[in-house]
Amino acid sequence: MASINLLLIITYIVLSIVLVYVLPKKRKWYALLCTSIFFYYVLVGSKILFLILFSLIIYKAGFFIHKKRFRVTFIIIGILLPLIVSKFLISNSHFENYSSKHITFTSWSTILQIIGISYITFNAISYLIDIKKKFIKPEGNFFFLLLYLIYFPAIFSGPLHRFKYLTSQFKNITITSDSLSSGLRLILWGLFKNMVIAQRIFSIFVTLKSSDISGAYYLLLGLLFFLYLYCNFSSFIDFFQGVSQIFNIKLKNNFRNRIYVSASRQEFWKGWHITLNEWFRDYFFFMLAKKDKKRKYTDYILLLTFLLIALWHEISITLLIWGLCNASWIILEKKVDFQKFAYPKLRKLGGVFYHLFFSSLLALIFISNDFHSLFLKIFFTPSTFPIESMANHTNNIVIIMFSFLIMDYHFKKAKKERFDDYIGSKKTFNRWFIYFKLTLIILIFGATGGIDNYYILF
């Protein structure tokens, strides 16, 4: 399982704090630039030279676009080429081979692609398009732009940020008691979700996947992966939001609280991987939709958008089917007004089960390399469930259920608040009780060695 060693992150935090304290106020952002370059080098080695060169091209392209010397379309196509080539040449980044990848403090040479290339490419495109639209001016300092593109906490957690949003915070880096406590809350919350819940769900998932489970029971694999992916990915966001918050830099949320109890696919996609969906919405969907003034082709544009999101994950037939299913699902939901159904509470509960069922099916498509075999295994194979294999995971199941209920309880209380804001508003005793509770659970039931992230190689 791909993981980032905690020693690497702790070293990054400590070194960044020291440099921030040493440098004057107007130069504090240099601290994060230096540590981002150094620790990125630890993970990808000399490949970082390619990213620096790539960033230099973006830097120059911004001025060309501002002066209207080149059409932005041609530049964007050129920028996308490295990402497209990596998707074509590297076929092992999907789930079937995921468990063979290890990203640790000493084994960066095993990486088969450049970590963060998608993040850098998408942020670069948004930067250039925003220049074209005159939302921003080209950045005059190359190193400031470089920090925006390779900022360590953002590039490893995944939220996409507009240039103006992130760089305005780089200019006001400070470390205070409030920023430190807020950051540590998020780090603790991320460790709890990742090391206690996500990694234990993954353990059960691997056991079932290697067993003879089949028929309707096979959908349980999809449900487990759906829950694992949420806990895994969102925990990584929480963790690196916390790392960034220490320096008073607030990374954007990428998941809505309790997204796993969505009652429709439309509700789900509004709160899942929010920044990626906003990127495709703003820089692709809306740009095409504004040309469709009579709204005749909205559904087709939506379909094309989801196919591109699917291809971003991996260029394969299975992922195209997954993208097609997502788009079709949302289009069908738009044709039916669920709000007209009577009994709102019952409608909500039914919607949750309905969404979890079809989400489980789509999750299986997402991780499958053979759609035809998957279809046969679910619908044309006698249902079997490996009771003996699951007997070994009794403790895991109890711990997961207990921990998941704790997570859900706090999310329900927090509503739309981010976890650090929610905890920060509590009285001192209640706040420290939560710290103690989560720390104790992590120490007793948490996995050791690192924090895992399924999405880190996409």
Side-chain angles (χ1 to χ4, degrees):
M1 181 178 294
S3 64
I4 294 292
N5 195 301
L6 286 175
L7 175 62
L8 174 68
I9 309 303
I10 293 171
T11 307
Y12 169 82
I13 294 172
V14 172
L15 187 56
S16 296
I17 289 175
V18 171
L19 289 176
V20 165
Y21 272 118
V22 169
L23 292 171
K25 184 176 181 180
K26 292 184 178 181
R27 294 288 183 267
K28 289 187 183 299
W29 61 270
Y30 277 107
L32 300 185
L33 175 63
C34 292
T35 52
S36 291
I37 292 174
F38 176 74
F39 286 100
Y40 207 6
Y41 171 78
V42 169
L43 292 176
V44 303
S46 59
K47 291 180 182 179
I48 196 173
L49 295 176
F50 167 79
L51 295 179
I52 293 175
L53 176 61
F54 185 78
S55 301
L56 184 59
I57 293 172
I58 304 303
Y59 173 73
K60 293 294 185 181
F63 291 100
F64 284 131
I65 291 171
H66 183 64
K67 295 176 181 177
K68 298 181 180 180
R69 292 182 180 179
F70 288 100
R71 293 192 61 179
V72 68
T73 305
F74 297 133
I75 294 177
I76 289 174
I77 291 172
I79 291 171
L80 280 169
L81 281 177
L83 179 60
I84 294 171
V85 169
S86 71
K87 294 296 181 183
F88 270 111
L89 295 182
I90 302 169
S91 59
N92 293 327
S93 62
H94 199 46
F95 190 78
E96 290 301 316
N97 298 300
Y98 174 62
S99 60
S100 67
K101 291 181 171 59
H102 301 280
I103 305 170
T104 63
F105 188 74
T106 58
S107 61
W108 54 265
S109 59
T110 62
I111 301 173
L112 300 179
Q113 68 183 108
I114 302 176
I115 296 173
I117 187 65
S118 293
Y119 174 88
I120 291 175
T121 302
F122 281 21
N123 271 351
I125 291 173
S126 70
Y127 168 72
L128 295 178
I129 291 179
D130 286 352
I131 290 174
K132 174 67 176 178
K133 292 182 176 180
K134 301 187 184 305
F135 293 158
I136 59 174
K137 293 181 179 180
E139 173 55 47
N141 189 327
F142 165 70
F143 294 105
F144 200 60
L145 177 63
L146 181 63
L147 175 59
Y148 164 68
L149 293 173
I150 67 168
Y151 178 50
F152 190 82
I155 205 168
F156 280 91
S157 59
L160 298 167
H161 297 86
R162 303 298 189 265
F163 177 80
K164 190 174 183 179
Y165 175 86
L166 200 55
T167 55
S168 63
Q169 298 185 75
F170 289 155
K171 295 175 181 178
N172 297 291
I173 294 171
T174 56
I175 300 173
T176 63
S177 57
D178 287 340
S179 70
L180 191 60
S181 59
S182 183
L184 291 176
R185 287 175 205 143
L186 285 168
I187 290 173
L188 180 65
W189 186 238
L191 289 174
F192 168 70
K193 288 165 69 178
N194 189 291
M195 299 175 72
V196 180
I197 305 177
Q199 294 192 41
R200 287 184 177 274
I201 292 176
F202 184 78
S203 177
I204 297 175
F205 174 84
V206 170
T207 298
L208 284 179
K209 199 170 190 303
S210 60
S211 70
D212 59 353
I213 189 171
S214 60
Y217 292 119
Y218 204 73
L219 286 171
L220 180 60
L221 274 177
L223 178 61
L224 285 172
F225 182 77
F226 173 75
L227 296 175
Y228 158 73
L229 187 59
Y230 165 73
C231 292
N232 175 274
F233 195 9
S234 66
S235 69
F236 221 68
I237 303 293
D238 296 329
F239 184 90
F240 278 102
Q241 276 183 325
V243 172
S244 197
Q245 188 66 41
I246 289 173
F247 307 101
N248 258 312
I249 297 173
K250 191 168 186 175
L251 299 184
K252 287 191 172 183
N253 290 332
N254 223 17
F255 294 91
R256 179 176 58 80
N257 292 346
R258 305 188 81 217
I259 190 63
Y260 43 82
V261 290
S262 298
S264 70
R265 200 59 173 177
Q266 294 181 78
E267 180 185 344
F268 172 79
W269 275 110
K270 288 178 182 178
W272 179 272
H273 209 337
I274 296 170
T275 58
L276 179 69
N277 295 326
E278 287 179 347
W279 190 95
F280 275 100
R281 179 198 67 192
D282 295 343
Y283 297 107
F284 183 78
F285 180 85
F286 282 168
M287 294 180 73
L288 291 182
K290 70 180 182 180
K291 299 180 184 296
D292 179 28
K293 296 181 180 180
K294 295 184 178 180
R295 300 293 184 266
K296 289 183 178 181
Y297 305 105
T298 303
D299 290 346
Y300 296 105
I301 298 171
L302 180 64
L303 174 61
L304 184 57
T305 302
F306 270 97
L307 290 179
L308 287 176
I309 292 174
L311 291 176
W312 167 75
H313 287 89
E314 184 181 81
I315 298 176
S316 68
I317 298 298
T318 304
L319 266 294
L320 282 175
I321 294 172
W322 176 82
L324 177 63
C325 289
N326 270 290
S328 301
W329 190 355
I330 291 177
I331 291 169
L332 286 172
E333 281 191 348
K334 286 180 177 291
K335 308 298 182 185
V336 180
D337 187 0
F338 287 101
Q339 299 303 317
K340 290 182 179 180
F341 293 1
Y343 309 106
K345 291 184 178 180
L346 186 61
R347 181 183 68 222
K348 170 67 176 178
L349 182 62
V352 171
F353 283 104
Y354 139 81
H355 182 260
L356 283 176
F357 175 82
F358 287 104
S359 292
S360 301
L361 186 58
L362 259 64
L364 288 174
I365 295 173
F366 185 80
I367 61 175
S368 173
N369 280 337
D370 187 346
F371 178 76
H372 182 256
S373 298
L374 174 64
F375 186 80
L376 293 177
K377 191 155 191 173
I378 297 174
F379 298 105
F380 293 95
T381 304
S383 296
T384 57
F385 185 79
I387 298 176
E388 298 80 6
S389 299
M390 288 303 295
N392 298 324
H393 283 282
T394 303
N395 290 339
N396 255 353
I397 294 171
V398 173
I399 293 169
I400 290 168
M401 291 178 65
F402 173 71
S403 302
F404 200 94
L405 286 173
I406 291 175
M407 178 184 71
D408 188 67
Y409 169 81
H410 287 301
F411 274 149
K412 196 170 183 178
K413 290 291 185 180
K415 297 180 180 178
K416 293 183 179 181
E417 279 189 298
R418 203 167 73 163
F419 183 77
D420 57 323
D421 295 328
Y422 155 70
I423 296 297
S425 64
K426 290 186 171 295
K427 294 181 180 179
T428 303
F429 176 81
N430 293 335
R431 189 164 63 245
W432 278 96
F433 175 75
I434 294 172
Y435 298 157
F436 176 78
K437 174 181 66 178
L438 294 178
T439 302
L440 191 64
I441 293 173
I442 293 169
L443 291 175
I444 297 174
F445 302 116
T448 58
I451 51 173
D452 302 323
N453 185 11
Y454 171 70
Y455 261 100
I456 199 168
L457 293 177
F458 280 109

